[in-house]
């Protein structure tokens, strides 16, 4: 049965490997207030004219430390309890682009590669030989180069755009999974508790089983 | 006072004797390894699924216009809704993981053999109910993979002779997967766990009639059985602790690792995802379905692949005790079968093209060959082993237990 255990472990590793198939540069997102604030700002200026964030309400932004005046500025006459919808109406988007730009609330979960996909996509714009702009990750995308990487010329601009892409990705990762930080923090406590409990349960098991006499135990001779 | 109350009850209901005979004092072979923990773990996961599911149901809306949104409501606004949902989603995978090991243990040690056939068959029934429940539950988030998975699988019932078309409509409640389908799947997803609990009771009644098998494969004499409590309660609780550590690592740190990205996109009947895949626990059977070029043949092969386990008591004709432990040929077959399952799982995940198709077909043949070979080789192997003589430790055990039937072998 030891071989079976080994097989199980190998299978689990193979499954993990399968989920990491995407061949993209990895992005290290941040969860600090400054990054999320810059990301939210970027989202508001670069994305929200076309994309909604319908599962996030303006009020939710306070939980990542965005100051109230800033939120008031963004929401205009909308209530704080309203979802963050796109400026462009779906009807008009259809007319201009032929599709409704996808809602971004779950975008970092809804693509193979997750956050890495989004990051690589935002930075994937380049000039083609026939003079137009295309995307390496999603060729033929309808979305224009929002961060302007295809027209960047200096190293400083490139650094700035990479930073912006990372900020937006961090913000949208929060939007897709707003309780992630709390979940991971709680996870450490839960695991610490379980490891302690399981160690104690192991000792209890040992103590209880020690009551069995092993002197006449002919079963132990062939026990593995 | 409490003694008088218990006396009053005991004269009317077998309260004390039930606890003594079936719980605390239930005789259990002392040599059970940790592989015998998984039945208890399956029971635990069942309770966990029912408990989290009931609270999820309080916030979920089975309506195509609201289902996806209500899941987001649970994930974002309901207090610890994310925890409930991640536990429930991970719990489904954990259930299959635990059950697959439970079944692998039964196959390895030959625990399905007489007199445990009914125990094994009730387990087979439980597997089918578990599969149905998981399949219906997967539709409820109403994501792209939910919708298209249900569409593909319900479509398979077109293979029904004569009434194919009608059966598909009857299952869906509509011409395509829609609101009617979502509602009935939700109703049945809520019903099935209670049927499963009933079937578990039957499974346990069967278990308590024949008692647990053990790694030696020989029915032990009374002196080698020990009371379930405190020996196996302590052992099972330790096993539960280890299980919960793994479970919580997934729930708290990588809860999305087992979910398909496409299911974070709301169901859209007008847009088929590039690549429709079922959850990991269905992948081997899905690979078998796709490996048969003909649709009806594929459906039959898939159904048969799940049901083959039920034939094991008849296919395995060897009377050598201890399953794979003392049977070298059977042991090799067992490991080849497990590897074959893994290969099928991999094939089921890949788009069916090129060599993948060929590998899938070979693995499908391998899958069924396992059962055929067991039927063919089990008696040959038995004769060979008897001629060669059993290992001395087995022989010693058989002598010690002085079981006339086994000593003949």
């Amino acid at each position: 049965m030891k071989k079976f255990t080994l097989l199980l472990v190998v299978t689990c590793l193979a499954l993990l490997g399968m989920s990491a198939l995407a061949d993209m540069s990895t992005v290290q997102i941040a969860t600090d207030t400054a990054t999320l604030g810059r990301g939210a700002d970027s989202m508001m200026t670069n994305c929200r004219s076309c994309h909604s964030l319908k599962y996030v309400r303006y009020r939710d932004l306070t939980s990542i430390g965005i100051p109230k005046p800033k939120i008031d500025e963004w929401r205009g006459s909308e209530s704080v309890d309203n979802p963050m919808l796109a400026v462009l109406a779906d009807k008009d988007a259809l007319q201009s682009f032929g599709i409704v730009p996808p809602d971004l609330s779950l975008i970092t979960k809804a693509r193979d590669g997750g956050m890495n996909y989004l990051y690589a996509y935002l930075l994937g714009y380049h000039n083609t030989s026939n003079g137009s702009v295309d995307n390496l990750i999603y060729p033929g995308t309808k979305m224009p180069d929002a961060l302007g990487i295809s027209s960047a010329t200096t190293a400083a601009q490139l650094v700035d755009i990479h930073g912006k892409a990372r900020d937006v990705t961090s913000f949208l990762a929060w939007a897709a999974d707003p309780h992630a930080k709390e979940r991971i923090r709680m996870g450490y406590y839960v695991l610490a508790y379980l490891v302690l409990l399981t160690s104690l349960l192991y000792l209890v098991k040992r103590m209880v089983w020690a009551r069995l006499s092993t002197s006449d135990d002919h079963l132990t001779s062939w026990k593995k | 006072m409490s003694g008088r109350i218990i006396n009053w009850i005991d004269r009317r209901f077998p309260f004390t004797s039930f606890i003594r005979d079936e719980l605390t004092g239930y005789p259990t072979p002392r040599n059970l390894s940790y592989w015998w923990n998984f039945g208890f773990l399956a029971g635990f996961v069942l309770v966990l699924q029912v408990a989290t599911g009931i609270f999820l149901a309080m916030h979920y809306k089975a309506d195509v216009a609201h289902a996806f949104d209500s899941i987001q409501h649970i994930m974002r606004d309901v207090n610890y809704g994310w925890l409930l949902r991640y536990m429930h989603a991970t719990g489904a995978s954990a259930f299959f993981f635990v059950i697959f090991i439970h079944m692998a243990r039964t196959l390895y040690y030959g625990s399905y053999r007489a007199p445990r056939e009914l125990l094994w068959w009730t387990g087979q029934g439980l597997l089918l109910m578990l599969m149905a429940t998981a399949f219906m539950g997967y539709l409820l988030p109403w994501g792209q993979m939910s919708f298209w998975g249900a569409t593909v699988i319900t479509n398979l019932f077109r293979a029904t002779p004569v009434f194919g078309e009608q059966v598909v409509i009857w299952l869906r409640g509509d011409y395509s997967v829609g609101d009617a389908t979502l509602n009935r799947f939700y109703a049945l997803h809520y019903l099935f766990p209670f049927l499963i609990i009933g079937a578990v009771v039957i499974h346990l009644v069967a278990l308590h009639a024949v008692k647990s098998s053990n790694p030696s494969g020989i029915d032990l004499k009374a002196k080698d059985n020990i009371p379930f409590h405190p020996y196996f309660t302590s052992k099972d609780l330790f096993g539960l602790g280890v299980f919960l550590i793994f479970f919580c690592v997934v729930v708290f740190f990588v809860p999305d690792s087992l979910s398909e990205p496409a299911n974070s996109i709301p169901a859209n009947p007008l847009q088929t995802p590039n690549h429709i895949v079922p959850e990991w626990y269905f992948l081997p059977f899905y690979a078998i379905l796709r490996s048969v070029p003909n649709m009806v043949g594929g459906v039959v092969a898939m159904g048969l692949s799940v049901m083959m386990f039920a034939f094991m008591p008849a296919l395995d004709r060897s009377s050598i005790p201890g399953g794979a432990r003392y049977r070298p040929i059977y042991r090799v077959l067992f490991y080849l079968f497990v590897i074959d399952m893994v290969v099928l799982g991999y094939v089921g995940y890949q788009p069916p093209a090129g060599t993948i198709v060929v590998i899938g077909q070979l693995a499908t043949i391998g899958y069924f060959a396992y059962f055929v070979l067991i039927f063919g080789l089990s008696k040959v192997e038995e004769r060979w082993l008897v001629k060669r003589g059993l290992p001395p430790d087995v022989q010693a055990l058989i002598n010690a237990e002085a079981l006339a039937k086994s000593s003949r072998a």
Side-chain angles (χ1 to χ4, degrees):
Chain A
M1 252 353 224
K2 281 203 188 89
K3 278 175 237 159
F4 183 65
T5 319
L6 186 74
L7 260 178
L8 274 178
V9 172
V10 171
T11 314
C12 291
L13 289 178
L15 280 173
L16 283 179
M18 270 157 75
S19 59
L21 281 176
D23 182 25
M24 273 172 277
S25 58
T26 51
V27 55
Q28 288 295 321
I29 57 149
T31 54
D32 60 287
T33 311
T35 308
L36 294 182
R38 287 197 306 272
D41 216 38
S42 244
M43 160 83 200
M44 287 299 159
T45 46
N46 297 314
C47 319
R48 210 198 29 155
S49 48
C50 302
H51 291 282
S52 59
L53 207 57
K54 66 176 176 179
Y55 294 119
V56 180
R57 295 185 205 91
Y58 290 100
R59 180 192 293 286
D60 300 333
L61 295 174
T62 55
S63 72
I64 49 168
I66 303 216
K68 219 173 160 298
K70 195 105 203 195
I71 297 172
D72 290 340
E73 190 189 309
W74 287 335
R75 70 186 170 93
S77 57
E78 296 271 320
S79 155
V80 283
D81 288 318
N82 281 6
M84 297 167 66
L85 297 180
V87 175
L88 190 72
D90 287 357
K91 183 165 57 81
D92 300 333
L94 267 176
Q95 208 153 47
S96 322
F97 300 105
I99 53 161
V100 177
D103 179 75
L104 297 184
S105 312
L106 288 164
I107 201 73
T108 61
K109 287 189 181 188
R111 297 288 181 276
D112 283 319
M115 294 180 271
N116 296 333
Y117 175 94
L118 176 64
Y119 182 70
Y121 172 77
L122 288 173
L123 299 176
Y125 289 92
H126 63 103
N127 294 302
T128 58
S129 51
N130 60 21
S132 61
V133 174
D134 202 358
N135 195 298
L136 288 168
I137 301 296
Y138 184 179
T141 180
K142 297 260 170 61
M143 185 174 116
D145 181 6
L147 299 181
I149 191 157
S150 61
S151 52
T153 45
T154 66
Q157 275 179 318
L158 281 176
V159 169
D160 180 53
I161 290 168
H162 275 82
K164 270 191 179 149
R166 180 172 170 270
D167 294 344
V168 173
T169 309
S170 299
F171 174 71
L172 289 175
W174 166 79
D177 196 356
H179 297 289
K181 208 172 169 180
E182 180 195 5
R183 189 186 73 226
I184 289 166
R185 208 179 75 94
M186 193 190 281
Y188 286 117
Y189 287 106
V190 169
L191 280 189
Y193 171 78
L194 280 175
V195 168
L196 181 70
L197 176 73
T198 307
S199 313
L200 290 174
L201 285 171
Y202 178 67
L203 294 176
V204 169
K205 190 255 166 191
R206 282 269 304 261
M207 279 166 63
V208 168
W209 280 70
R211 292 182 210 165
L212 287 176
S213 76
T214 49
S215 55
D216 64 337
D217 188 1
H218 55 275
L219 290 172
T220 46
S221 64
W222 54 269
K223 242 184 195 170
K224 266 187 190 159
Chain B
M1 182 61 197
S2 69
R4 278 180 58 197
I5 293 173
I6 289 177
N7 273 337
W8 187 90
I9 293 171
D10 277 340
R11 285 179 57 192
R12 291 156 179 86
F13 181 86
F15 179 70
T16 307
S17 62
F18 178 81
I19 291 193
R20 186 188 58 225
D21 298 343
E22 307 300 335
L23 294 170
T24 59
Y26 175 65
T28 313
R30 67 192 295 178
N31 59 334
L32 296 190
S33 68
Y34 278 103
W35 295 111
W36 266 261
N37 276 40
F38 286 85
F40 167 76
L41 289 179
F44 175 83
V45 180
L46 174 60
V47 172
L48 187 74
Q49 290 301 85
V50 170
T52 51
I54 285 172
F55 286 100
L56 286 170
M58 293 177 188
H59 302 280
Y60 173 76
K61 290 186 176 65
D63 179 322
V64 293
H66 301 294
F68 193 88
D69 291 350
S70 73
I71 298 281
Q72 286 308 312
H73 168 65
I74 289 169
M75 293 298 284
R76 290 159 192 270
D77 306 329
V78 174
N79 289 338
Y80 297 105
W82 55 268
L83 181 57
L84 284 173
R85 179 170 178 242
Y86 278 147
M87 277 168 54
H88 198 72
T90 311
S93 281
F95 211 152
F96 279 96
F97 185 77
V98 164
I99 285 295
F100 286 159
I101 294 181
H102 189 59
M103 290 173 67
R105 190 269 294 156
T106 310
L107 288 175
Y108 184 89
Y109 288 105
S111 309
Y112 47 79
R113 288 192 286 181
R116 297 190 176 80
E117 297 95 327
L118 277 176
L119 181 57
W120 180 233
W121 290 335
T122 51
Q124 172 84 53
L126 277 165
L127 174 70
L128 294 181
M129 283 200 263
L130 176 65
M131 286 179 151
T133 311
F135 167 66
M136 290 186 292
Y138 195 59
L139 182 69
L140 307 187
W142 203 245
Q144 274 287 68
M145 211 51 92
S146 301
F147 177 86
W148 288 99
T151 300
V152 168
I153 300 300
T154 48
N155 226 352
L156 296 179
F157 287 86
R158 255 179 240 290
T160 316
V162 189
F163 304 107
E165 202 68 30
Q166 285 85 340
V167 168
V168 174
I169 295 171
W170 178 73
L171 284 171
R172 292 175 178 167
D174 203 339
Y175 295 101
S176 61
V177 173
D179 205 50
T181 324
L182 180 62
N183 269 296
R184 60 186 52 198
F185 274 32
Y186 182 51
L188 295 174
H189 185 70
Y190 208 119
L191 167 70
F192 267 50
F194 298 98
L195 299 181
I196 289 179
I197 291 172
V200 166
V201 171
I202 294 172
H203 194 59
L204 287 175
V205 169
L207 172 70
H208 283 228
V210 295
K211 307 285 186 278
S212 287
S213 64
N214 71 77
S216 77
I218 299 162
D219 284 327
L220 301 176
K221 283 203 299 194
K223 71 180 167 68
D224 290 317
N225 287 312
I226 49 179
F228 193 83
H229 181 74
Y231 296 106
F232 286 96
T233 38
S234 62
K235 196 170 181 175
D236 279 347
L237 283 176
F238 167 60
L240 176 64
V242 174
F243 166 80
L244 283 177
I245 289 174
F246 285 103
F247 182 72
C248 287
V249 165
V250 178
V251 167
F252 286 96
F253 297 99
V254 282
D256 288 319
S257 56
L258 293 169
S259 69
E260 275 298 314
N263 230 26
S264 288
I265 303 169
N268 181 355
L270 301 177
Q271 189 187 46
T272 320
N274 318 340
H275 183 196
I276 302 174
V277 280
E279 293 287 84
W280 69 269
Y281 36 81
F282 290 138
L283 287 173
F285 309 109
Y286 187 60
I288 289 175
L289 168 78
R290 290 194 314 191
S291 292
V292 181
N294 167 290
M295 186 209 174
V296 176
V299 173
V300 171
M302 182 174 70
L304 207 57
S305 69
V306 181
M307 291 308 296
M308 278 317 284
F309 300 106
F311 300 112
M312 280 306 284
L315 294 176
D316 181 3
R317 298 175 297 158
S318 171
S319 59
I320 304 287
R325 178 163 220 149
Y326 307 125
R327 298 169 55 191
I329 297 176
Y330 182 73
R331 188 161 62 231
V332 170
L333 286 176
F334 172 82
Y335 285 118
L336 287 176
F337 182 71
V338 174
I339 293 168
D340 193 72
M341 275 294 247
V342 175
V343 171
L344 280 170
Y346 175 77
V347 168
Y349 190 77
Q350 300 301 322
T355 46
I356 286 291
V357 178
V358 182
I359 295 171
Q361 287 169 344
L362 290 175
T364 301
I365 294 168
Y367 186 97
F368 290 104
Y370 167 75
F371 296 99
V372 176
L373 284 175
I374 283 175
F375 183 73
L377 293 178
S378 52
K379 213 69 193 170
V380 176
E381 183 194 43
E382 185 197 72
R383 279 196 291 272
W384 169 57
L385 288 173
V386 169
K387 211 167 113 191
R388 197 187 63 163
L390 289 170
D393 48 350
V394 193
Q395 203 56 57
L397 180 72
I398 291 171
N399 294 343
E401 297 293 340
L403 285 172
K405 183 169 165 262
S406 304
S407 55
R408 191 194 62 210

